Amino acid sequence: MSQQTNPVTRLALPPTRLMALLCGWALLAFTLATCLEIVLRKLGYSLQGIDEIGGYLMAVLSCAGFGYTLAHNAHTRIDLVLAALPRALQAALNVLAMVTLAALAVFMLWRAGAELLDSIELKSVSTSPLQVPLWIPQSLWIAGLGLFAIVAAAYAVHALWLLMRNPGEVNRCYAPPSVQHELAAELASLKQRQSEGGV
């Protein structure tokens, strides 16, 4: 998926990148807290609940990463047979892939929303000493899923629109990246890192 030519990608990159950065900072903070916990345990103390917070963080990071990965066309797709098919059939299958992914994303968001509403209604808390109200980690979890669902739905709508209006563009925008494309992207990234590092 070309970031320069796909209008949905241009819109999706800033919010997904922001979420990825926020998750990166959260992961760094958790890493520092874990290091502090290790030192404190040697001294006979404990922060209590670091492992529980880590579990919540991993769930949030996973969901938040879905949208970022999609915006970079980095989800794994098996294209062993796809490349050998006629271009019109490739286009139809690429659109089907986007629509299926969007349907899955929306379903995940719907079920997560139902879980959050149950937690709020029942005033559910974790069974750990922290007694964390479950709506807190679930809300963060849903934020990641919500962004993923929005991005996936936008791609699906765009892919369907292209299929009806300009089928030749579907494969250019929504085909899985080829080995040559991935190699070119990696070489470009390496060149950029070298120029930024002064190498």
PDB file of all heavy atoms in Angstrom, residues 10-50:
ATOM      1  N   ARG A  10      -2.725   8.354   4.208  1.00  0.00           N
ATOM      2  CA  ARG A  10      -2.275   9.681   4.640  1.00  0.00           C
ATOM      3  C   ARG A  10      -3.063  10.163   5.845  1.00  0.00           C
ATOM      4  O   ARG A  10      -2.520  10.823   6.733  1.00  0.00           O
ATOM      5  CB  ARG A  10      -2.392  10.681   3.490  1.00  0.00           C
ATOM      6  CG  ARG A  10      -1.351  10.469   2.390  1.00  0.00           C
ATOM      7  CD  ARG A  10      -1.215  11.702   1.511  1.00  0.00           C
ATOM      8  NE  ARG A  10      -2.462  12.025   0.818  1.00  0.00           N
ATOM      9  CZ  ARG A  10      -2.783  11.552  -0.383  1.00  0.00           C
ATOM     10  NH1 ARG A  10      -1.972  10.732  -1.010  1.00  0.00           N
ATOM     11  NH2 ARG A  10      -3.915  11.900  -0.946  1.00  0.00           N
ATOM     12  N   LEU A  11      -4.349   9.823   5.902  1.00  0.00           N
ATOM     13  CA  LEU A  11      -5.168  10.205   7.052  1.00  0.00           C
ATOM     14  C   LEU A  11      -4.926   9.299   8.253  1.00  0.00           C
ATOM     15  O   LEU A  11      -5.012   9.743   9.403  1.00  0.00           O
ATOM     16  CB  LEU A  11      -6.651  10.157   6.669  1.00  0.00           C
ATOM     17  CG  LEU A  11      -7.126  11.191   5.652  1.00  0.00           C
ATOM     18  CD1 LEU A  11      -8.568  10.914   5.247  1.00  0.00           C
ATOM     19  CD2 LEU A  11      -6.998  12.606   6.218  1.00  0.00           C
ATOM     20  N   ALA A  12      -4.636   8.028   8.007  1.00  0.00           N
ATOM     21  CA  ALA A  12      -4.496   7.057   9.092  1.00  0.00           C
ATOM     22  C   ALA A  12      -3.156   7.132   9.802  1.00  0.00           C
ATOM     23  O   ALA A  12      -3.065   6.812  10.995  1.00  0.00           O
ATOM     24  CB  ALA A  12      -4.707   5.641   8.543  1.00  0.00           C
ATOM     25  N   LEU A  13      -2.117   7.547   9.102  1.00  0.00           N
ATOM     26  CA  LEU A  13      -0.778   7.531   9.699  1.00  0.00           C
ATOM     27  C   LEU A  13      -0.636   8.416  10.941  1.00  0.00           C
ATOM     28  O   LEU A  13      -0.101   7.960  11.946  1.00  0.00           O
ATOM     29  CB  LEU A  13       0.267   7.905   8.651  1.00  0.00           C
ATOM     30  CG  LEU A  13       0.662   6.772   7.700  1.00  0.00           C
ATOM     31  CD1 LEU A  13       1.608   7.288   6.624  1.00  0.00           C
ATOM     32  CD2 LEU A  13       1.312   5.623   8.453  1.00  0.00           C
ATOM     33  N   PRO A  14      -1.096   9.684  10.937  1.00  0.00           N
ATOM     34  CA  PRO A  14      -0.868  10.515  12.129  1.00  0.00           C
ATOM     35  C   PRO A  14      -1.498   9.967  13.420  1.00  0.00           C
ATOM     36  O   PRO A  14      -0.801   9.844  14.430  1.00  0.00           O
ATOM     37  CB  PRO A  14      -1.460  11.876  11.737  1.00  0.00           C
ATOM     38  CG  PRO A  14      -1.371  11.899  10.246  1.00  0.00           C
ATOM     39  CD  PRO A  14      -1.629  10.482   9.818  1.00  0.00           C
ATOM     40  N   PRO A  15      -2.804   9.604  13.427  1.00  0.00           N
ATOM     41  CA  PRO A  15      -3.349   9.098  14.696  1.00  0.00           C
ATOM     42  C   PRO A  15      -2.761   7.750  15.117  1.00  0.00           C
ATOM     43  O   PRO A  15      -2.556   7.504  16.315  1.00  0.00           O
ATOM     44  CB  PRO A  15      -4.858   8.990  14.434  1.00  0.00           C
ATOM     45  CG  PRO A  15      -5.001   8.917  12.953  1.00  0.00           C
ATOM     46  CD  PRO A  15      -3.862   9.709  12.399  1.00  0.00           C
ATOM     47  N   THR A  16      -2.490   6.876  14.152  1.00  0.00           N
ATOM     48  CA  THR A  16      -1.922   5.576  14.533  1.00  0.00           C
ATOM     49  C   THR A  16      -0.490   5.743  15.035  1.00  0.00           C
ATOM     50  O   THR A  16      -0.061   5.042  15.956  1.00  0.00           O
ATOM     51  CB  THR A  16      -1.960   4.573  13.364  1.00  0.00           C
ATOM     52  OG1 THR A  16      -1.265   5.117  12.232  1.00  0.00           O
ATOM     53  CG2 THR A  16      -3.391   4.237  12.972  1.00  0.00           C
ATOM     54  N   ARG A  17       0.236   6.677  14.448  1.00  0.00           N
ATOM     55  CA  ARG A  17       1.601   6.943  14.913  1.00  0.00           C
ATOM     56  C   ARG A  17       1.571   7.538  16.315  1.00  0.00           C
ATOM     57  O   ARG A  17       2.379   7.168  17.178  1.00  0.00           O
ATOM     58  CB  ARG A  17       2.315   7.888  13.952  1.00  0.00           C
ATOM     59  CG  ARG A  17       3.770   8.148  14.331  1.00  0.00           C
ATOM     60  CD  ARG A  17       4.482   8.996  13.273  1.00  0.00           C
ATOM     61  NE  ARG A  17       5.892   9.124  13.591  1.00  0.00           N
ATOM     62  CZ  ARG A  17       6.386  10.061  14.399  1.00  0.00           C
ATOM     63  NH1 ARG A  17       5.583  10.932  14.961  1.00  0.00           N
ATOM     64  NH2 ARG A  17       7.688  10.111  14.637  1.00  0.00           N
ATOM     65  N   LEU A  18       0.641   8.446  16.572  1.00  0.00           N
ATOM     66  CA  LEU A  18       0.514   9.032  17.909  1.00  0.00           C
ATOM     67  C   LEU A  18       0.220   7.958  18.940  1.00  0.00           C
ATOM     68  O   LEU A  18       0.823   7.923  20.023  1.00  0.00           O
ATOM     69  CB  LEU A  18      -0.585  10.099  17.913  1.00  0.00           C
ATOM     70  CG  LEU A  18      -0.901  10.720  19.284  1.00  0.00           C
ATOM     71  CD1 LEU A  18       0.326  11.416  19.863  1.00  0.00           C
ATOM     72  CD2 LEU A  18      -2.080  11.682  19.174  1.00  0.00           C
ATOM     73  N   MET A  19      -0.716   7.049  18.604  1.00  0.00           N
ATOM     74  CA  MET A  19      -1.038   5.979  19.548  1.00  0.00           C
ATOM     75  C   MET A  19       0.174   5.079  19.770  1.00  0.00           C
ATOM     76  O   MET A  19       0.436   4.650  20.899  1.00  0.00           O
ATOM     77  CB  MET A  19      -2.234   5.161  19.062  1.00  0.00           C
ATOM     78  CG  MET A  19      -2.558   4.034  19.992  1.00  0.00           C
ATOM     79  SD  MET A  19      -4.265   3.558  20.289  1.00  0.00           S
ATOM     80  CE  MET A  19      -5.264   4.929  20.321  1.00  0.00           C
ATOM     81  N   ALA A  20       0.917   4.800  18.713  1.00  0.00           N
ATOM     82  CA  ALA A  20       2.109   3.962  18.862  1.00  0.00           C
ATOM     83  C   ALA A  20       3.143   4.641  19.757  1.00  0.00           C
ATOM     84  O   ALA A  20       3.779   3.984  20.594  1.00  0.00           O
ATOM     85  CB  ALA A  20       2.711   3.667  17.484  1.00  0.00           C
ATOM     86  N   LEU A  21       3.308   5.949  19.611  1.00  0.00           N
ATOM     87  CA  LEU A  21       4.249   6.681  20.453  1.00  0.00           C
ATOM     88  C   LEU A  21       3.818   6.667  21.916  1.00  0.00           C
ATOM     89  O   LEU A  21       4.638   6.466  22.818  1.00  0.00           O
ATOM     90  CB  LEU A  21       4.393   8.123  19.961  1.00  0.00           C
ATOM     91  CG  LEU A  21       5.178   8.317  18.662  1.00  0.00           C
ATOM     92  CD1 LEU A  21       5.065   9.753  18.177  1.00  0.00           C
ATOM     93  CD2 LEU A  21       6.636   7.931  18.858  1.00  0.00           C
ATOM     94  N   LEU A  22       2.527   6.881  22.157  1.00  0.00           N
ATOM     95  CA  LEU A  22       2.019   6.841  23.527  1.00  0.00           C
ATOM     96  C   LEU A  22       2.236   5.469  24.154  1.00  0.00           C
ATOM     97  O   LEU A  22       2.635   5.356  25.323  1.00  0.00           O
ATOM     98  CB  LEU A  22       0.528   7.209  23.549  1.00  0.00           C
ATOM     99  CG  LEU A  22       0.188   8.657  23.212  1.00  0.00           C
ATOM    100  CD1 LEU A  22      -1.323   8.840  23.119  1.00  0.00           C
ATOM    101  CD2 LEU A  22       0.788   9.607  24.239  1.00  0.00           C
ATOM    102  N   CYS A  23       1.992   4.437  23.356  1.00  0.00           N
ATOM    103  CA  CYS A  23       2.212   3.074  23.862  1.00  0.00           C
ATOM    104  C   CYS A  23       3.691   2.822  24.122  1.00  0.00           C
ATOM    105  O   CYS A  23       4.054   2.144  25.086  1.00  0.00           O
ATOM    106  CB  CYS A  23       1.669   2.054  22.856  1.00  0.00           C
ATOM    107  SG  CYS A  23      -0.131   1.988  22.819  1.00  0.00           S
ATOM    108  N   GLY A  24       4.543   3.376  23.280  1.00  0.00           N
ATOM    109  CA  GLY A  24       5.979   3.230  23.492  1.00  0.00           C
ATOM    110  C   GLY A  24       6.419   3.871  24.801  1.00  0.00           C
ATOM    111  O   GLY A  24       7.206   3.283  25.561  1.00  0.00           O
ATOM    112  N   TRP A  25       5.908   5.067  25.080  1.00  0.00           N
ATOM    113  CA  TRP A  25       6.237   5.722  26.342  1.00  0.00           C
ATOM    114  C   TRP A  25       5.683   4.942  27.529  1.00  0.00           C
ATOM    115  O   TRP A  25       6.345   4.838  28.576  1.00  0.00           O
ATOM    116  CB  TRP A  25       5.711   7.154  26.345  1.00  0.00           C
ATOM    117  CG  TRP A  25       6.561   8.095  25.551  1.00  0.00           C
ATOM    118  CD1 TRP A  25       6.264   8.667  24.348  1.00  0.00           C
ATOM    119  CD2 TRP A  25       7.882   8.546  25.883  1.00  0.00           C
ATOM    120  NE1 TRP A  25       7.306   9.447  23.904  1.00  0.00           N
ATOM    121  CE2 TRP A  25       8.312   9.404  24.830  1.00  0.00           C
ATOM    122  CE3 TRP A  25       8.738   8.322  26.956  1.00  0.00           C
ATOM    123  CZ2 TRP A  25       9.559  10.024  24.843  1.00  0.00           C
ATOM    124  CZ3 TRP A  25       9.984   8.942  26.957  1.00  0.00           C
ATOM    125  CH2 TRP A  25      10.378   9.778  25.921  1.00  0.00           C
ATOM    126  N   ALA A  26       4.482   4.398  27.379  1.00  0.00           N
ATOM    127  CA  ALA A  26       3.902   3.587  28.456  1.00  0.00           C
ATOM    128  C   ALA A  26       4.745   2.344  28.714  1.00  0.00           C
ATOM    129  O   ALA A  26       4.972   1.947  29.869  1.00  0.00           O
ATOM    130  CB  ALA A  26       2.462   3.200  28.107  1.00  0.00           C
ATOM    131  N   LEU A  27       5.223   1.732  27.642  1.00  0.00           N
ATOM    132  CA  LEU A  27       6.063   0.542  27.787  1.00  0.00           C
ATOM    133  C   LEU A  27       7.391   0.892  28.461  1.00  0.00           C
ATOM    134  O   LEU A  27       7.889   0.140  29.303  1.00  0.00           O
ATOM    135  CB  LEU A  27       6.307  -0.093  26.421  1.00  0.00           C
ATOM    136  CG  LEU A  27       7.009  -1.450  26.409  1.00  0.00           C
ATOM    137  CD1 LEU A  27       6.247  -2.478  27.226  1.00  0.00           C
ATOM    138  CD2 LEU A  27       7.193  -1.932  24.983  1.00  0.00           C
ATOM    139  N   LEU A  28       7.947   2.047  28.116  1.00  0.00           N
ATOM    140  CA  LEU A  28       9.179   2.488  28.759  1.00  0.00           C
ATOM    141  C   LEU A  28       8.959   2.722  30.254  1.00  0.00           C
ATOM    142  O   LEU A  28       9.777   2.307  31.091  1.00  0.00           O
ATOM    143  CB  LEU A  28       9.682   3.776  28.095  1.00  0.00           C
ATOM    144  CG  LEU A  28      10.939   4.404  28.708  1.00  0.00           C
ATOM    145  CD1 LEU A  28      12.117   3.443  28.636  1.00  0.00           C
ATOM    146  CD2 LEU A  28      11.260   5.728  28.027  1.00  0.00           C
ATOM    147  N   ALA A  29       7.841   3.373  30.597  1.00  0.00           N
ATOM    148  CA  ALA A  29       7.528   3.608  32.012  1.00  0.00           C
ATOM    149  C   ALA A  29       7.353   2.289  32.752  1.00  0.00           C
ATOM    150  O   ALA A  29       7.834   2.130  33.891  1.00  0.00           O
ATOM    151  CB  ALA A  29       6.258   4.460  32.126  1.00  0.00           C
ATOM    152  N   PHE A  30       6.698   1.328  32.108  1.00  0.00           N
ATOM    153  CA  PHE A  30       6.508   0.025  32.748  1.00  0.00           C
ATOM    154  C   PHE A  30       7.846  -0.687  32.934  1.00  0.00           C
ATOM    155  O   PHE A  30       8.075  -1.335  33.960  1.00  0.00           O
ATOM    156  CB  PHE A  30       5.565  -0.836  31.905  1.00  0.00           C
ATOM    157  CG  PHE A  30       5.417  -2.232  32.423  1.00  0.00           C
ATOM    158  CD1 PHE A  30       4.715  -2.479  33.591  1.00  0.00           C
ATOM    159  CD2 PHE A  30       6.004  -3.297  31.766  1.00  0.00           C
ATOM    160  CE1 PHE A  30       4.586  -3.768  34.084  1.00  0.00           C
ATOM    161  CE2 PHE A  30       5.889  -4.584  32.246  1.00  0.00           C
ATOM    162  CZ  PHE A  30       5.172  -4.815  33.409  1.00  0.00           C
ATOM    163  N   THR A  31       8.739  -0.554  31.958  1.00  0.00           N
ATOM    164  CA  THR A  31      10.060  -1.171  32.069  1.00  0.00           C
ATOM    165  C   THR A  31      10.826  -0.596  33.251  1.00  0.00           C
ATOM    166  O   THR A  31      11.450  -1.328  34.038  1.00  0.00           O
ATOM    167  CB  THR A  31      10.857  -0.955  30.765  1.00  0.00           C
ATOM    168  OG1 THR A  31      10.119  -1.525  29.683  1.00  0.00           O
ATOM    169  CG2 THR A  31      12.222  -1.605  30.835  1.00  0.00           C
ATOM    170  N   LEU A  32      10.766   0.728  33.400  1.00  0.00           N
ATOM    171  CA  LEU A  32      11.436   1.367  34.535  1.00  0.00           C
ATOM    172  C   LEU A  32      10.814   0.932  35.860  1.00  0.00           C
ATOM    173  O   LEU A  32      11.527   0.690  36.844  1.00  0.00           O
ATOM    174  CB  LEU A  32      11.373   2.889  34.390  1.00  0.00           C
ATOM    175  CG  LEU A  32      12.133   3.477  33.197  1.00  0.00           C
ATOM    176  CD1 LEU A  32      11.881   4.980  33.077  1.00  0.00           C
ATOM    177  CD2 LEU A  32      13.625   3.192  33.320  1.00  0.00           C
ATOM    178  N   ALA A  33       9.489   0.818  35.890  1.00  0.00           N
ATOM    179  CA  ALA A  33       8.815   0.360  37.107  1.00  0.00           C
ATOM    180  C   ALA A  33       9.198  -1.076  37.435  1.00  0.00           C
ATOM    181  O   ALA A  33       9.371  -1.429  38.616  1.00  0.00           O
ATOM    182  CB  ALA A  33       7.298   0.484  36.938  1.00  0.00           C
ATOM    183  N   THR A  34       9.357  -1.904  36.425  1.00  0.00           N
ATOM    184  CA  THR A  34       9.773  -3.291  36.647  1.00  0.00           C
ATOM    185  C   THR A  34      11.185  -3.348  37.215  1.00  0.00           C
ATOM    186  O   THR A  34      11.469  -4.127  38.142  1.00  0.00           O
ATOM    187  CB  THR A  34       9.699  -4.090  35.332  1.00  0.00           C
ATOM    188  OG1 THR A  34       8.358  -4.044  34.830  1.00  0.00           O
ATOM    189  CG2 THR A  34      10.107  -5.542  35.547  1.00  0.00           C
ATOM    190  N   CYS A  35      12.080  -2.520  36.677  1.00  0.00           N
ATOM    191  CA  CYS A  35      13.453  -2.456  37.207  1.00  0.00           C
ATOM    192  C   CYS A  35      13.444  -2.010  38.666  1.00  0.00           C
ATOM    193  O   CYS A  35      14.170  -2.567  39.506  1.00  0.00           O
ATOM    194  CB  CYS A  35      14.298  -1.507  36.369  1.00  0.00           C
ATOM    195  SG  CYS A  35      14.617  -2.092  34.691  1.00  0.00           S
ATOM    196  N   LEU A  36      12.611  -1.012  38.975  1.00  0.00           N
ATOM    197  CA  LEU A  36      12.497  -0.549  40.358  1.00  0.00           C
ATOM    198  C   LEU A  36      11.961  -1.651  41.260  1.00  0.00           C
ATOM    199  O   LEU A  36      12.440  -1.833  42.390  1.00  0.00           O
ATOM    200  CB  LEU A  36      11.585   0.688  40.411  1.00  0.00           C
ATOM    201  CG  LEU A  36      11.342   1.291  41.791  1.00  0.00           C
ATOM    202  CD1 LEU A  36      12.657   1.743  42.427  1.00  0.00           C
ATOM    203  CD2 LEU A  36      10.353   2.449  41.694  1.00  0.00           C
ATOM    204  N   GLU A  37      10.990  -2.399  40.753  1.00  0.00           N
ATOM    205  CA  GLU A  37      10.429  -3.515  41.524  1.00  0.00           C
ATOM    206  C   GLU A  37      11.499  -4.562  41.839  1.00  0.00           C
ATOM    207  O   GLU A  37      11.549  -5.094  42.955  1.00  0.00           O
ATOM    208  CB  GLU A  37       9.280  -4.145  40.732  1.00  0.00           C
ATOM    209  CG  GLU A  37       8.722  -5.439  41.295  1.00  0.00           C
ATOM    210  CD  GLU A  37       7.847  -5.242  42.523  1.00  0.00           C
ATOM    211  OE1 GLU A  37       7.659  -4.091  42.972  1.00  0.00           O
ATOM    212  OE2 GLU A  37       7.356  -6.252  43.048  1.00  0.00           O
ATOM    213  N   ILE A  38      12.367  -4.848  40.868  1.00  0.00           N
ATOM    214  CA  ILE A  38      13.432  -5.827  41.083  1.00  0.00           C
ATOM    215  C   ILE A  38      14.374  -5.360  42.190  1.00  0.00           C
ATOM    216  O   ILE A  38      14.739  -6.125  43.089  1.00  0.00           O
ATOM    217  CB  ILE A  38      14.215  -6.064  39.771  1.00  0.00           C
ATOM    218  CG1 ILE A  38      13.315  -6.771  38.761  1.00  0.00           C
ATOM    219  CG2 ILE A  38      15.481  -6.874  40.026  1.00  0.00           C
ATOM    220  CD1 ILE A  38      13.873  -6.822  37.353  1.00  0.00           C
ATOM    221  N   VAL A  39      14.739  -4.076  42.148  1.00  0.00           N
ATOM    222  CA  VAL A  39      15.638  -3.539  43.177  1.00  0.00           C
ATOM    223  C   VAL A  39      14.960  -3.555  44.544  1.00  0.00           C
ATOM    224  O   VAL A  39      15.564  -3.949  45.554  1.00  0.00           O
ATOM    225  CB  VAL A  39      16.072  -2.105  42.793  1.00  0.00           C
ATOM    226  CG1 VAL A  39      16.850  -1.458  43.942  1.00  0.00           C
ATOM    227  CG2 VAL A  39      16.911  -2.120  41.517  1.00  0.00           C
ATOM    228  N   LEU A  40      13.695  -3.129  44.572  1.00  0.00           N
ATOM    229  CA  LEU A  40      12.979  -3.078  45.854  1.00  0.00           C
ATOM    230  C   LEU A  40      12.810  -4.466  46.468  1.00  0.00           C
ATOM    231  O   LEU A  40      12.866  -4.616  47.692  1.00  0.00           O
ATOM    232  CB  LEU A  40      11.616  -2.407  45.656  1.00  0.00           C
ATOM    233  CG  LEU A  40      11.647  -0.898  45.410  1.00  0.00           C
ATOM    234  CD1 LEU A  40      10.241  -0.377  45.132  1.00  0.00           C
ATOM    235  CD2 LEU A  40      12.256  -0.162  46.592  1.00  0.00           C
ATOM    236  N   ARG A  41      12.596  -5.472  45.627  1.00  0.00           N
ATOM    237  CA  ARG A  41      12.446  -6.824  46.172  1.00  0.00           C
ATOM    238  C   ARG A  41      13.720  -7.306  46.842  1.00  0.00           C
ATOM    239  O   ARG A  41      13.672  -8.061  47.805  1.00  0.00           O
ATOM    240  CB  ARG A  41      12.015  -7.795  45.065  1.00  0.00           C
ATOM    241  CG  ARG A  41      10.558  -7.648  44.693  1.00  0.00           C
ATOM    242  CD  ARG A  41      10.088  -8.735  43.760  1.00  0.00           C
ATOM    243  NE  ARG A  41       8.695  -8.561  43.412  1.00  0.00           N
ATOM    244  CZ  ARG A  41       8.018  -9.393  42.652  1.00  0.00           C
ATOM    245  NH1 ARG A  41       8.605 -10.466  42.131  1.00  0.00           N
ATOM    246  NH2 ARG A  41       6.737  -9.174  42.383  1.00  0.00           N
ATOM    247  N   LYS A  42      14.859  -6.883  46.312  1.00  0.00           N
ATOM    248  CA  LYS A  42      16.133  -7.218  46.949  1.00  0.00           C
ATOM    249  C   LYS A  42      16.239  -6.589  48.336  1.00  0.00           C
ATOM    250  O   LYS A  42      16.935  -7.089  49.217  1.00  0.00           O
ATOM    251  CB  LYS A  42      17.306  -6.743  46.078  1.00  0.00           C
ATOM    252  CG  LYS A  42      17.441  -7.468  44.750  1.00  0.00           C
ATOM    253  CD  LYS A  42      17.879  -8.910  44.950  1.00  0.00           C
ATOM    254  CE  LYS A  42      18.123  -9.587  43.612  1.00  0.00           C
ATOM    255  NZ  LYS A  42      18.485 -11.007  43.777  1.00  0.00           N
ATOM    256  N   LEU A  43      15.527  -5.470  48.511  1.00  0.00           N
ATOM    257  CA  LEU A  43      15.550  -4.761  49.793  1.00  0.00           C
ATOM    258  C   LEU A  43      14.382  -5.145  50.692  1.00  0.00           C
ATOM    259  O   LEU A  43      14.227  -4.590  51.774  1.00  0.00           O
ATOM    260  CB  LEU A  43      15.524  -3.247  49.534  1.00  0.00           C
ATOM    261  CG  LEU A  43      16.680  -2.691  48.688  1.00  0.00           C
ATOM    262  CD1 LEU A  43      16.470  -1.213  48.404  1.00  0.00           C
ATOM    263  CD2 LEU A  43      18.015  -2.916  49.396  1.00  0.00           C
ATOM    264  N   GLY A  44      13.560  -6.072  50.221  1.00  0.00           N
ATOM    265  CA  GLY A  44      12.443  -6.549  51.028  1.00  0.00           C
ATOM    266  C   GLY A  44      11.147  -5.787  50.862  1.00  0.00           C
ATOM    267  O   GLY A  44      10.237  -5.912  51.678  1.00  0.00           O
ATOM    268  N   TYR A  45      11.038  -5.013  49.793  1.00  0.00           N
ATOM    269  CA  TYR A  45       9.814  -4.250  49.539  1.00  0.00           C
ATOM    270  C   TYR A  45       9.225  -4.658  48.187  1.00  0.00           C
ATOM    271  O   TYR A  45       9.861  -5.367  47.411  1.00  0.00           O
ATOM    272  CB  TYR A  45      10.097  -2.740  49.541  1.00  0.00           C
ATOM    273  CG  TYR A  45      10.651  -2.218  50.837  1.00  0.00           C
ATOM    274  CD1 TYR A  45      12.029  -2.044  50.993  1.00  0.00           C
ATOM    275  CD2 TYR A  45       9.822  -1.906  51.905  1.00  0.00           C
ATOM    276  CE1 TYR A  45      12.561  -1.567  52.181  1.00  0.00           C
ATOM    277  CE2 TYR A  45      10.343  -1.436  53.097  1.00  0.00           C
ATOM    278  CZ  TYR A  45      11.710  -1.269  53.228  1.00  0.00           C
ATOM    279  OH  TYR A  45      12.216  -0.806  54.411  1.00  0.00           O
ATOM    280  N   SER A  46       8.043  -4.166  47.918  1.00  0.00           N
ATOM    281  CA  SER A  46       7.410  -4.439  46.625  1.00  0.00           C
ATOM    282  C   SER A  46       6.421  -3.338  46.288  1.00  0.00           C
ATOM    283  O   SER A  46       5.766  -2.779  47.183  1.00  0.00           O
ATOM    284  CB  SER A  46       6.682  -5.788  46.656  1.00  0.00           C
ATOM    285  OG  SER A  46       5.991  -5.998  45.439  1.00  0.00           O
ATOM    286  N   LEU A  47       6.347  -3.009  44.988  1.00  0.00           N
ATOM    287  CA  LEU A  47       5.374  -2.014  44.533  1.00  0.00           C
ATOM    288  C   LEU A  47       3.960  -2.592  44.491  1.00  0.00           C
ATOM    289  O   LEU A  47       2.988  -1.849  44.430  1.00  0.00           O
ATOM    290  CB  LEU A  47       5.760  -1.498  43.145  1.00  0.00           C
ATOM    291  CG  LEU A  47       7.069  -0.716  43.056  1.00  0.00           C
ATOM    292  CD1 LEU A  47       7.358  -0.343  41.614  1.00  0.00           C
ATOM    293  CD2 LEU A  47       7.013   0.539  43.918  1.00  0.00           C
ATOM    294  N   GLN A  48       3.842  -3.921  44.443  1.00  0.00           N
ATOM    295  CA  GLN A  48       2.557  -4.622  44.388  1.00  0.00           C
ATOM    296  C   GLN A  48       1.821  -4.343  43.070  1.00  0.00           C
ATOM    297  O   GLN A  48       1.523  -3.194  42.740  1.00  0.00           O
ATOM    298  CB  GLN A  48       1.642  -4.231  45.558  1.00  0.00           C
ATOM    299  CG  GLN A  48       2.157  -4.632  46.921  1.00  0.00           C
ATOM    300  CD  GLN A  48       2.223  -6.140  47.088  1.00  0.00           C
ATOM    301  OE1 GLN A  48       1.388  -6.867  46.565  1.00  0.00           O
ATOM    302  NE2 GLN A  48       3.234  -6.589  47.821  1.00  0.00           N
ATOM    303  N   GLY A  49       1.557  -5.398  42.343  1.00  0.00           N
ATOM    304  CA  GLY A  49       0.696  -5.292  41.173  1.00  0.00           C
ATOM    305  C   GLY A  49       1.386  -4.976  39.865  1.00  0.00           C
ATOM    306  O   GLY A  49       0.712  -4.746  38.858  1.00  0.00           O
ATOM    307  N   ILE A  50       2.735  -4.954  39.847  1.00  0.00           N
ATOM    308  CA  ILE A  50       3.431  -4.658  38.594  1.00  0.00           C
ATOM    309  C   ILE A  50       3.084  -5.692  37.528  1.00  0.00           C
ATOM    310  O   ILE A  50       2.864  -5.362  36.365  1.00  0.00           O
ATOM    311  CB  ILE A  50       4.958  -4.609  38.825  1.00  0.00           C
ATOM    312  CG1 ILE A  50       5.337  -3.323  39.551  1.00  0.00           C
ATOM    313  CG2 ILE A  50       5.722  -4.695  37.511  1.00  0.00           C
ATOM    314  CD1 ILE A  50       5.089  -2.068  38.764  1.00  0.00           C
TER     315      ILE A  50
END
